[in-house]
Amino acid sequence: MTDIAFVLKVVFYRSEAGNEPVREWLKELPRDDKRQIGEDVKTAQLGWPLGMPLIRKIEKDLWEVRTRLANGIARVFFTVDGDYMILLHGFTKKSQKTPQNDLKTAITRLNNYARGMK
């Protein structure tokens, strides 16, 4: 069996209170949705840096993994720190436009992470 060389290691963002919001969000999803999102995150880990249609840069130090699900569209916002992919925020949306609240949440967590609240 050959070892797969990951370009990035995945880490869940942890809040000051010790919560891991992306992990908690994933646990609530149906099994097939979790599997599809996991495959797309793994593709990003293996092939980083990647672009559209899987990865879209949102702003400096913030990207999203774009996953099509049977009943919607999932997004996982992340940042890259060295060889780590930090999953900041995940959500499922029904329309094309990213809700501003979700974007603000991701940016807040990115700023918290950048200040050292790892």
Side-chain angles (χ1 to χ4, degrees):
M1 191 165 168
T2 59
D3 288 331
I4 299 172
F6 289 95
V7 176
L8 297 174
K9 298 173 196 89
V10 168
V11 175
F12 289 96
Y13 167 84
R14 183 171 289 179
S15 71
E16 203 172 342
N19 300 327
E20 294 178 327
V22 176
R23 186 187 304 266
E24 292 163 13
W25 169 72
L26 286 169
K27 285 180 180 179
E28 296 172 3
L29 296 176
R31 184 176 175 186
D32 286 344
D33 291 357
K34 284 189 259 198
R35 183 190 53 75
Q36 186 60 54
I37 293 166
E39 285 180 13
D40 287 346
V41 168
K42 184 176 178 180
T43 299
Q45 283 182 270
L46 289 168
W48 185 256
L50 294 172
M52 292 288 279
L54 182 64
I55 303 294
R56 184 174 76 139
K57 185 168 185 152
I58 303 300
E59 63 177 47
K60 184 181 186 307
D61 298 328
L62 184 65
W63 292 267
E64 68 178 0
V65 176
R66 305 158 50 87
T67 302
R68 287 202 155 280
L69 303 174
N71 295 323
I73 305 164
R75 296 291 185 257
V76 178
F77 286 111
F78 69 95
T79 191
V80 174
D81 184 4
D83 59 350
Y84 288 92
M85 176 182 194
I86 295 89
L87 306 183
L88 300 167
H89 181 60
F91 64 99
T92 306
K93 62 183 192 167
K94 300 288 184 196
S95 67
Q96 289 295 96
K97 192 148 177 66
T98 298
Q100 284 301 303
N101 285 348
D102 288 300
L103 181 58
K104 286 178 185 174
T105 298
I107 291 169
T108 298
R109 291 177 183 163
L110 173 63
N111 291 336
N112 289 344
Y113 178 81
R115 281 197 305 268
M117 290 181 13
K118 299 178 186 178

